[in-house]
Amino acid sequence: MGYQPKIIRGKVKGTGYPIDGRELLFSLWDYDNYESYHLSGWRDDDDEAVMLTIHQSEEEAGLCGFNTLEDFARAWEEGEYEAEGAFCLAPDNVDVSEIIQEEKRSSTDRLTVKVFPNDKDYALKCMCSFARNGEVDDVDGCEDFCSLREGECDGCGFQEAFNRLAAYENTGLTPNEITALKSDNARLHKLLEELTDTLRKDSTSQ
């Protein structure tokens, strides 16, 4: 299971939007350093207030693609509305009443990514920018830490570190799982040696 954000239920306050006083679901994400509460769910009886809030916020931002509130409401009701982006509030505007889910991280979440699909080299995700298709668009940083010219990474200590980390991540196992496997392997080898020794002794005694 991959990364899952923290999800809370909280009462909205001080926004001036129709959702003030409503308890809604919000998610908190690591990619924005948990600085915003992202609207992620609401009860049926809060639907109209949420709809009016989204319409108002998009109007204020100049992002609303509908000529009238009636057109917006019709698209919302018929499931044809597509959000222009996430609706977020500052933490000061949400009083948390319940934690629905704590943040969850997979112990095997990758830190590395292939620079190009057919390339043998990897880089740290934090040093990369990504295109909309999810592929690496650009890699920054190496030239800030070594004197090698761009593209000449053979023998680079950073590149070796990236590749070794990627080799570990490609196993899909955590360090604890690898340690357990090594322990199991050693135990099985010992049992095999004991069994072989016993069979040898039995064969000699016959």
Side-chain angles (χ1 to χ4, degrees):
M1 182 178 292
Y3 174 83
Q4 297 182 46
K6 182 176 182 178
I7 298 176
I8 63 95
R9 188 187 309 280
K11 180 177 288 188
V12 181
K13 63 179 183 179
T15 68
Y17 289 128
I19 55 173
D20 277 352
R22 306 266 181 169
E23 281 201 335
L24 310 175
L25 296 182
F26 294 89
S27 55
L28 291 91
W29 297 77
D30 63 351
Y31 75 82
D32 67 352
N33 296 316
Y34 317 102
E35 294 177 354
S36 300
Y37 280 50
H38 300 243
L39 181 63
S40 60
W42 54 90
R43 301 183 180 95
D44 289 343
D45 56 358
D46 295 319
D47 190 68
E48 183 177 2
V50 172
M51 182 271 292
L52 293 171
T53 295
I54 299 299
H55 176 263
Q56 182 179 336
S57 67
E58 290 190 359
E59 281 278 294
E60 293 172 350
L63 297 174
C64 188
F66 298 87
N67 295 324
T68 65
L69 173 58
E70 289 72 20
D71 291 339
F72 184 93
R74 187 180 305 109
W76 181 280
E77 180 68 25
E78 295 175 357
E80 297 177 355
Y81 166 76
E82 294 185 6
E84 295 295 333
F87 179 83
C88 300
L89 295 177
D92 289 344
N93 293 122
V94 180
D95 282 335
V96 178
S97 57
E98 181 183 2
I99 296 176
I100 305 298
Q101 171 183 284
E102 292 288 359
E103 182 182 43
K104 297 180 181 179
R105 292 177 178 274
S106 169
S107 54
T108 56
D109 280 347
R110 293 193 67 96
L111 300 176
T112 59
V113 63
K114 273 194 173 185
V115 177
F116 299 106
N118 297 322
D119 196 359
K120 65 180 178 62
D121 291 331
Y122 289 75
L124 295 177
K125 281 184 177 180
C126 63
M127 297 172 64
C128 301
S129 59
F130 295 87
R132 290 186 177 182
N133 61 5
E135 295 183 358
V136 174
D137 182 53
D138 192 21
V139 182
D140 299 318
C142 282
E143 63 274 13
D144 296 330
F145 299 100
C146 69
S147 59
L148 296 176
R149 294 196 308 273
E150 185 177 355
E152 295 184 3
C153 292
D154 289 341
C156 171
F158 279 93
Q159 186 63 65
E160 177 64 20
F162 296 157
N163 290 346
R164 288 191 182 186
L165 176 58
Y168 147 67
E169 289 190 321
N170 284 340
T171 67
L173 300 173
T174 68
N176 287 340
E177 288 171 335
I178 291 175
T179 300
L181 283 175
K182 289 176 65 177
S183 177
D184 289 343
N185 188 53
R187 181 172 55 83
L188 288 173
H189 272 288
K190 184 177 180 180
L191 289 173
L192 181 60
E193 289 175 356
E194 291 175 352
L195 178 60
T196 301
D197 193 47
T198 299
L199 290 174
R200 185 183 299 111
K201 289 180 179 178
D202 289 343
S203 176
T204 302
S205 64
Q206 290 179 357

